[in-house]
Amino acid sequence: MAYEAQRDGGADRRTLPPVRPLWRQRDFAVFWAAQTLSVLGDSFALIALPLLVLEATGSVARMGLLTAVGGAAAVVAAVFAGVVVDRVDRRRLLVGCDLVRMVLYGVIPVVWLLGPQVWLLYGVLPVCEAVGMLFAVGYVTVVRSLVGIGQLTEANGRLNATAAAAGVLGPVYAGAVAAWTGPATAVGVDAVSFGVSALCTVFVRFRARQAGPAERTGLWRDLRTGAAFLRKQPVLRSLTVLLFVFSFLTLGLNDLLIYRLKHDLGRDDGTVGTVMAVGALGTITGALLVARLRRWFGFGAVWTGSVALCGLAVAGIAWTGQVPVVAALSALFLAGGGMAGTCSMSLRQEITPEPLLGRVTSAFWTLHYAAAPIGAAALTWAAEHHGTTPVGLTAGACCVLAATAALFTPVRGA
């Protein structure tokens, strides 16, 4: 592996100790467990927050507006997240982000005891999404400091797979809790999960980052560094443009799915949780297959095929009225999204110098996610006025077109 060769001054590979399996690497295992528990809690909020808005207002447009507000806060935070991550102690940053979200999400069920307060969601979610963006950028950089470059795709796949496994149980329990005691209680479970994640992360030892000449060169130059790196890399540049379109079309899908199940098909909270749990099985499948598929077919084929699969699934969800079919198509969508996301993240980690990784990740997410909040608000507004079926069919077709366009970019041969 490149890292070991560099560390040992280019020593003969035969003299290097064999690479241990990921599950036997203590620090990665603890980090792995912490993030799995955190995602288990996140799946509660993923269902509970839209349900709180829907129950209080009955409007999918208001659900989409909450998603858009949170997404906009994440975009703004992403501009500066990379600079922060590359300048501070990453473990303290991750722990601090978890603790802030634990407190803020914990406020919601307490206030809800006095009655629905939708305004609180519009205050808490943007802050939590901004803090979550800091955490997400830091998360990407520390995975590289836990495993060697040769194990990145496998590590990302395993993190995504077990997170998705937690996501199978989470929506089922979240739906049951929401149906039994109300969605606000489910948000409280998410708050507890952040506390557990922070405690586990305290005991993880991250490898010291590599120093480089690009560090601490001034705020404005740091902000431009990530974008400049993306511009010089043909594959990353193309991915940024393609994901700009894909994110615009899909950020509001969770709201559309919940609204379709609750409003169009007349199902209860428990059914919503079950459908999303079945969908999470797709994420597990995609995460477990992605490393092998990338070795067999290459980055371009896997990424392009995954995005096309997402588009077909979105169109199918909008077309069918059968709940089991909706659940199966949700699984296909999440499988495709998981494989595409793991591939793009692993490629970015592999080719980006470590001192720049936070800033490049931040720039990548800022640019491709910039229009997503507008897309979520626009799609849910259109769904409320014109129905979920035509909106979903249009969004799905556009995703397939984006995958087709990728065939004419450097992504195809990557």
Side-chain angles (χ1 to χ4, degrees):
M1 287 166 52
Y3 171 77
E4 282 79 3
Q6 181 181 33
R7 181 191 60 192
D8 293 337
D12 191 312
R13 289 177 182 269
R14 290 171 297 180
T15 67
L16 299 177
V19 177
R20 289 184 298 168
L22 291 175
W23 63 272
R24 293 186 60 189
Q25 298 180 31
R26 173 200 171 274
D27 293 308
F28 177 78
V30 174
F31 184 75
W32 190 2
Q35 298 318 305
T36 301
L37 290 172
S38 181
V39 171
L40 180 64
D42 275 342
S43 61
F44 276 68
L46 182 66
I47 295 177
L49 291 176
L51 286 177
L52 286 174
V53 177
L54 186 60
E55 290 184 2
T57 67
S59 170
V60 67
R62 293 288 296 274
M63 295 166 67
L65 180 61
L66 179 63
T67 300
V69 170
V75 170
V76 173
V79 175
F80 302 96
V83 176
V84 174
V85 169
D86 284 340
R87 287 170 175 255
V88 304
D89 182 271
R90 292 171 182 174
R91 176 167 53 185
R92 293 180 181 177
L93 176 68
L94 296 183
V95 172
C97 289
D98 275 339
L99 292 178
V100 169
R101 288 182 290 177
M102 177 189 71
V103 172
L104 291 178
Y105 278 127
V107 169
I108 293 175
V110 175
V111 172
W112 232 257
L113 292 174
L114 304 176
Q117 304 290 335
V118 177
W119 63 267
L120 179 64
L121 303 181
Y122 287 93
V124 167
L125 186 62
V127 178
C128 288
E129 287 293 302
V131 173
M133 178 57 70
L134 278 173
F135 183 94
V137 174
Y139 173 97
V140 170
T141 63
V142 299
V143 171
R144 178 163 163 171
S145 70
L146 288 171
V147 302
I149 292 178
Q151 292 181 297
L152 277 172
T153 300
E154 182 186 359
N156 289 326
R158 293 195 175 213
L159 283 164
N160 290 341
T162 53
V168 172
L169 296 176
V172 174
Y173 291 138
V177 170
W180 182 35
T181 62
T185 305
V187 178
V189 175
D190 190 25
V192 173
S193 75
F194 284 122
V196 175
S197 175
L199 181 62
C200 291
T201 305
V202 168
F203 296 99
V204 178
R205 296 167 300 183
F206 297 116
R207 185 184 301 138
R209 73 180 73 182
Q210 299 174 8
E215 293 210 57
R216 299 180 184 271
T217 55
L219 178 60
W220 177 240
R221 185 173 178 182
D222 277 349
L223 291 173
R224 292 184 299 167
T225 298
F229 185 87
L230 294 176
R231 187 173 61 251
K232 295 176 182 178
Q233 293 288 336
V235 177
L236 293 182
R237 184 173 64 241
S238 300
L239 281 175
T240 303
V241 175
L242 292 167
L243 285 171
F244 179 89
V245 177
F246 183 76
S247 299
F248 178 91
L249 296 167
T250 58
L251 180 61
L253 181 63
N254 189 60
D255 296 324
L256 289 178
L257 177 61
I258 292 175
Y259 186 75
R260 182 157 180 77
L261 290 169
K262 294 275 291 182
H263 180 268
D264 297 351
L265 304 182
R267 304 296 176 165
D268 60 12
D269 294 350
T271 302
V272 172
T274 301
V275 168
M276 297 187 74
V278 172
L281 291 173
T283 308
I284 298 174
T285 304
L288 292 175
L289 291 177
V290 63
R292 183 174 301 176
L293 291 175
R294 185 180 172 189
R295 286 195 300 270
W296 287 350
F297 302 108
F299 173 89
V302 175
W303 191 91
T304 303
S306 298
V307 172
L309 180 65
C310 289
L312 295 173
V314 171
I317 290 171
W319 180 260
T320 185
Q322 302 296 318
V323 172
V325 179
V326 171
L329 290 171
S330 298
L332 287 178
F333 175 83
L334 292 174
M339 288 190 292
T342 300
C343 279
S344 63
M345 178 173 17
S346 299
L347 180 70
R348 198 170 61 252
Q349 290 168 321
E350 289 161 3
I351 67 178
T352 305
E354 186 170 359
L356 297 177
L357 188 54
R359 279 161 284 180
V360 171
T361 298
S362 178
F364 184 79
W365 284 350
T366 300
L367 293 172
H368 92 248
Y369 197 61
I374 299 173
L379 264 66
T380 51
W381 178 89
E384 184 162 291
H385 289 81
H386 303 289
T388 56
T389 298
V391 172
L393 288 173
T394 302
C398 291
C399 288
V400 174
L401 288 175
T404 304
L407 298 176
F408 301 93
T409 72
V411 171
R412 177 182 179 181

